[in-house]
Amino acid sequence: MNTQVCIFFPSPHLAYSPTTIHLYLELKKHFDVKIIAPYPSKFNNRELPNFNVSYFSDQPSGIVTKIKALCLFLFYRLIQCKIDGKFVYSYSVLKNILRYNHIFKKESSINKEQLIIAVDMLFLKVATRYYNKVHFVSLEIEDEFLPVLKTIPDEKIESVIIQSDERFQYIFGNRRIKCFLIQNSPPFIPSKFRKINRFDKLIFNGTGTRIFGIIDFIEFLSHYKGLYKGIVKGNIVDDVRVEIKEKYESLIDAGVLTIDEAYTEHSEIVDYISSFEIGICFYNIDSIPINKFNYYSAPSGKMFNYLAAGVPVIGSDLPGLRIIAEYKCGVLIKDTSPMQIRNAVEEIRNNYQVYRNNCAIAAAKFSFDTMVKPFISYLTNNKNNA
């Protein structure tokens, strides 16, 4: 019987988490794997029918949980439970820890010998209450959980998957925990790196929020009166959808802007993107604190999809996107004004084949299947230590 691996995923967006999906697929080659996650409930989410997923109903915290959390919160404040001068537990943190206790308690009662992988900080904390060793996949950095993680002994965190040394140090400092640097990237398949069959549209892929620059992109298309065409591929949040309808519907009618919110399978997204010319991967820095480390330092998953598709990238000049500059597979811009975007587009067009060739080099370097091999080898060699 193969060793069992259980991945605890914390949000209803499993279908939009390529790291978790690719990790599952690679682990399936060596282990019996299942994912435990909340039912899809937002955007154009759906269950993953060909995956072994146990979905649970993610209900808001009940009154009993809220009262318990409040009592614990007051108790910890009373005894001045602090680390580095900061209170360890906020009320919201305690409420969420209590909210998910039953999920981990139930699973640990079924099989405590599984290899456990917890995605993100909340589930790491809860998992270490029920398992002696937990592997941690860090996707989002939530600052309110940083003091909480300091309460987890090093020996309980078997390993960490994270995108960069800087992000590891931000969370764990100098703690000696086994670390694997794995990007939020697809496997690179050279046969999918095909010839561009359209050279007239830019693509904005991913969640359509102001933070991720969707309005800046559409405003660029509007500013130049149809000189450029673009497509938005992904889920758009409600307030942005309303704004597009009110302000930019004429662009859609004129064929300048296309909106495609249909779900595309993770295995098909690179093929889809490869039909376009340039990928948009910038932030609206006026919408977020530029020093918010989670955004500032995160290599974007859609950037890696663009690279794997052979589509040069326009990104924000931030540390998390420095791969674009290092591999010369696109252009970084200081701001998202229409002129800055246009200059970047024209720079890429003037040297398109060079940028495209560099996309292949970067995509091969950061191919998920290659980067995850040391982690899988580690699991295989240490599977009896769960």
Side-chain angles (χ1 to χ4, degrees):
M1 180 178 175
N2 287 342
T3 301
Q4 292 187 334
V5 176
C6 183
I7 303 172
F8 288 93
F9 185 79
S11 88
H13 307 309
L14 176 61
Y16 292 95
S17 178
T19 292
T20 309
I21 289 173
H22 293 312
L23 181 60
Y24 172 92
L25 292 173
E26 292 299 324
L27 288 171
K28 279 286 290 180
K29 299 174 183 177
H30 307 273
F31 306 97
D32 289 333
V33 189
K34 68 178 175 181
I35 302 173
I36 296 179
Y39 279 110
S41 62
K42 296 179 180 179
F43 294 139
N44 191 19
N45 277 339
R46 73 271 325 283
E47 296 182 18
L48 298 174
N50 298 320
F51 288 65
N52 182 15
V53 185
S54 295
Y55 292 100
F56 63 87
S57 181
D58 190 13
Q59 299 294 332
S61 300
I63 187 65
V64 174
T65 297
K66 291 178 180 178
I67 292 173
K68 286 182 178 179
L70 180 59
C71 291
L72 281 172
F73 171 73
L74 294 174
F75 173 72
Y76 285 131
R77 287 298 170 103
L78 181 65
I79 64 173
Q80 294 288 298
C81 183
K82 294 182 179 181
I83 290 180
D84 297 336
K86 297 180 180 179
F87 285 105
V88 176
Y89 295 105
S90 68
Y91 170 69
S92 63
V93 165
L94 286 166
K95 184 176 65 175
N96 282 320
I97 289 173
L98 294 172
R99 176 180 173 183
Y100 293 108
N101 263 342
H102 70 286
I103 302 298
F104 289 83
K105 184 177 182 180
K106 177 183 176 181
E107 183 61 27
S108 65
S109 69
I110 296 171
N111 184 356
K112 210 171 181 67
E113 301 306 314
Q114 301 172 95
L115 295 174
I116 300 300
I117 299 175
V119 178
D120 283 338
M121 296 178 172
L122 169 61
F123 272 18
L124 173 64
K125 174 58 181 177
V126 185
T128 54
R129 300 184 71 182
Y130 293 95
Y131 296 93
N132 290 327
K133 292 182 180 294
V134 177
H135 300 274
F136 173 44
V137 177
S138 175
L139 299 181
E140 303 292 332
I141 295 179
E142 301 161 286
D143 286 346
E144 67 175 345
F145 274 97
L146 293 177
V148 178
L149 264 59
K150 292 182 180 180
T151 68
I152 302 174
D154 288 5
E155 60 269 19
K156 282 216 160 197
I157 307 175
E158 179 74 5
S159 72
V160 175
I161 289 176
I162 201 164
Q163 300 93 341
S164 68
D165 288 326
E166 293 89 345
R167 286 173 75 86
F168 179 90
Q169 290 167 6
Y170 185 83
I171 298 175
F172 294 106
N174 295 321
R175 294 173 70 175
R176 295 183 177 276
I177 303 172
K178 184 71 175 178
C179 178
F180 298 92
L181 300 183
I182 302 176
Q183 298 298 345
N184 188 15
S185 54
F188 177 59
I189 303 174
S191 62
K192 290 189 176 183
F193 202 86
R194 62 177 189 243
K195 183 179 179 181
I196 296 291
N197 56 31
R198 288 169 66 177
F199 199 73
D200 64 342
K201 275 192 177 181
L202 285 63
I203 180 170
F204 175 102
N205 181 56
T207 305
T209 69
R210 183 174 291 277
I211 288 175
F212 295 148
I214 184 173
I215 296 300
D216 302 89
F217 174 56
I218 298 174
E219 185 60 32
F220 156 74
L221 298 176
S222 177
H223 185 85
Y224 288 105
K225 308 297 182 186
L227 290 177
Y228 304 94
K229 294 181 180 180
I231 184 168
V232 170
K233 172 63 176 174
N235 289 308
I236 302 174
V237 297
D238 291 341
D239 60 326
V240 171
R241 187 181 292 108
V242 170
E243 185 174 356
I244 291 172
K245 183 173 180 60
E246 290 178 349
K247 294 176 61 177
Y248 302 108
E249 193 163 23
S250 62
L251 295 180
I252 298 174
D253 293 340
V256 172
L257 172 65
T258 303
I259 303 293
D260 180 1
E261 291 192 81
Y263 180 78
T264 299
E265 294 290 340
H266 70 279
S267 59
E268 300 171 2
I269 193 64
V270 171
D271 270 342
Y272 181 97
I273 292 171
S274 68
S275 294
F276 300 96
E277 179 187 5
I278 295 170
I280 301 301
C281 187
F282 48 60
Y283 299 109
N284 181 297
I285 61 175
D286 294 329
S287 298
I288 59 173
I290 193 60
N291 61 351
K292 188 172 178 61
F293 191 83
N294 186 48
Y295 291 111
Y296 189 85
S297 65
S300 172
K302 64 182 177 182
M303 172 185 70
F304 290 109
N305 280 331
Y306 294 146
L307 300 181
V311 175
V313 188
I314 299 174
S316 294
D317 190 6
L318 296 174
L321 302 178
R322 63 191 176 195
I323 288 168
I324 296 170
E326 289 176 359
Y327 284 83
K328 296 181 174 60
C329 49
V331 175
L332 297 180
I333 56 178
K334 297 290 186 181
D335 63 66
T336 52
S337 66
M339 181 177 292
Q340 282 269 314
I341 299 170
R342 182 180 186 180
N343 289 344
V345 170
E346 296 306 320
E347 164 60 26
I348 290 172
R349 284 182 170 178
N350 289 336
N351 301 278
Y352 195 82
Q353 196 57 47
V354 173
Y355 284 112
R356 178 171 160 74
N357 292 342
N358 290 338
C359 287
I361 296 171
K365 171 69 175 181
F366 297 105
S367 182
F368 189 90
D369 54 346
T370 300
M371 299 194 82
V372 80
K373 283 181 180 178
F375 175 68
I376 291 177
S377 177
Y378 182 75
L379 289 186
T380 303
N381 293 333
N382 294 276
K383 61 185 178 182
N384 295 322
N385 295 328

